[in-house]
Amino acid sequence: MRPDLFIRDATGAFLILVPAVIGWQILTGRIEMGGMLYERDPAGRLVYSPARLQLLLVSLAGAAQLLWRFTGNPDHLASANPLVLAGMGASQLSYLASKAWAAYQAKK
Amino acid sequence: MPNVPFSSQELLKWSGAIFVTLLEAYVVYAIARKWDMRRLICAENGDASMSRFQLLLFTFAIGGGYFYLMLQKAAFPPIDVGALGLLGISSGTYAISKGIQASRDTNAAAQASATTNPPAVPTGGSLSSSAAAGAGGPTAPPRQP
C-alpha cells in the first residue's frame, strides 16, 4: 500500500464519520436543537416562528438538491440550480426581515 | 550504507500519513466521546440557532463534496460559482443575524439596567458633603437655597 492511497482512504473515512457522528448526535438529542423553530418575543417568551420553519425547509431542500446532483455526477462539484439559489436568497431575506422586525418591536 | 527497506522520502511520507490519520481518528473520537458538542448550534442565550444549523448543513454538503473530489483527483477542483453563492448567502445571513441579535441583546441589557438601577437624581450638596465626611475631611456647610 502506498502512503498517498492510505491517507486518501483515511481522510475519506474521516469525511464520512464526522457528519455521521454529528448527525447521530442531532438525531439522538445530544446536540441541543430546542428553540430552533421559536423566537423570543419582547417579553422574553418563546413564540413559534414560521420564518424559521420555511428557512429550515428551504435549507434542507437546497442541501439535498446539491447532494443529489453531486451523487449523479461525482466527477464535478455540483452547481447550485439558479432557481434554488434564488429561492435560498428569498428565504434568507424573509428570515432576516422577520428577525429585524422582532428586534425593532423589542426596541419600541 | 546499511540496506533499509524504506528510503528517507518514503519514511517521511508514511510519517505524515500516519500523523494525519491519527489526528483524524482523535477528532472523530473527541466529537463522539470527549468534546461537549451539546451547544454546537446554540446561540449565546442557549436557544438553537437556525443560521448556525444552516451553515453546518452547507459546510458538510459543499465541503464534503470538495474534499471527496480533492482526494479522488489529487488536485484542487474548481469551485462552482453557484455553490460558492450558496455558502456566501448562508454565511452572510449568519453574520447579519448575529448583528441583529447583538443589537437586540444590547438594547435588552440597557433596558434591564435602566429598570433595576434608576439614574441617581442629584440633590443639592448632599453628595459632596457625605463624600467629604467619608473621606475624613472637614464637612462642607449645607448649601443655602
Side-chain angles (χ1 to χ4, degrees):
Chain A
M1 189 172 207
R2 286 168 25 206
D4 55 336
L5 296 180
F6 176 76
I7 201 166
R8 189 194 68 184
D9 293 346
T11 308
F14 175 74
L15 289 175
I16 294 170
L17 282 173
V18 169
V21 169
I22 290 181
W24 176 252
Q25 290 187 345
I26 287 175
L27 286 177
T28 54
R30 279 186 64 192
I31 291 179
E32 289 175 12
M33 302 281 283
M36 184 132 92
L37 296 181
Y38 295 85
E39 196 141 275
R40 291 199 181 270
D41 68 359
R45 289 184 304 257
L46 282 174
V47 288
Y48 171 71
S49 163
R52 284 175 175 244
L53 177 66
Q54 63 84 21
L55 185 61
L56 176 67
L57 293 178
V58 171
S59 302
L60 288 175
Q65 192 256 0
L66 209 64
L67 286 176
W68 181 259
R69 287 178 81 143
F70 182 65
T71 49
N73 183 13
D75 292 336
H76 304 281
L77 201 60
S79 63
N81 190 335
L83 200 65
V84 171
L85 213 57
M88 282 292 299
S91 169
Q92 312 271 357
L93 273 180
S94 86
Y95 167 67
L96 284 176
S98 87
K99 203 172 171 74
W101 176 250
Y104 172 72
Q105 289 292 324
K107 194 175 179 181
K108 268 205 318 187
Chain B
M1 184 84 182
N3 194 10
V4 288
F6 288 117
S7 68
S8 59
Q9 202 177 5
E10 195 79 358
L11 197 66
L12 197 67
K13 281 183 185 173
W14 271 110
S15 305
I18 290 171
F19 174 73
V20 171
T21 305
L22 286 177
L23 200 66
E24 289 169 349
Y26 176 74
V27 169
V28 172
Y29 164 74
I31 288 175
R33 297 270 170 200
K34 206 170 176 193
W35 291 340
D36 184 11
M37 304 288 287
R38 277 177 305 164
R39 293 170 60 86
L40 179 71
I41 54 169
C42 287
E44 283 76 12
N45 61 3
D47 299 336
S49 162
M50 190 67 229
S51 320
R52 287 181 191 225
F53 177 69
Q54 193 188 49
L55 202 56
L56 182 80
L57 200 65
F58 285 123
T59 302
F60 281 148
I62 298 172
Y66 186 80
F67 269 97
Y68 174 81
L69 281 179
M70 203 171 79
L71 292 172
Q72 289 298 317
K73 298 184 174 179
F76 291 111
I79 305 177
D80 181 74
V81 178
L84 267 185
L86 263 184
L87 265 183
I89 289 174
S90 176
S91 308
T93 305
Y94 174 66
I96 297 172
S97 123
K98 285 285 285 182
I100 294 172
Q101 188 67 44
S103 147
R104 193 174 165 176
D105 290 348
T106 309
N107 286 331
Q111 282 176 5
S113 166
T115 49
T116 53
N117 302 321
V121 180
T123 53
S126 63
L127 186 63
S128 59
S129 60
S130 64
T139 51
R143 193 177 287 171
Q144 296 299 320

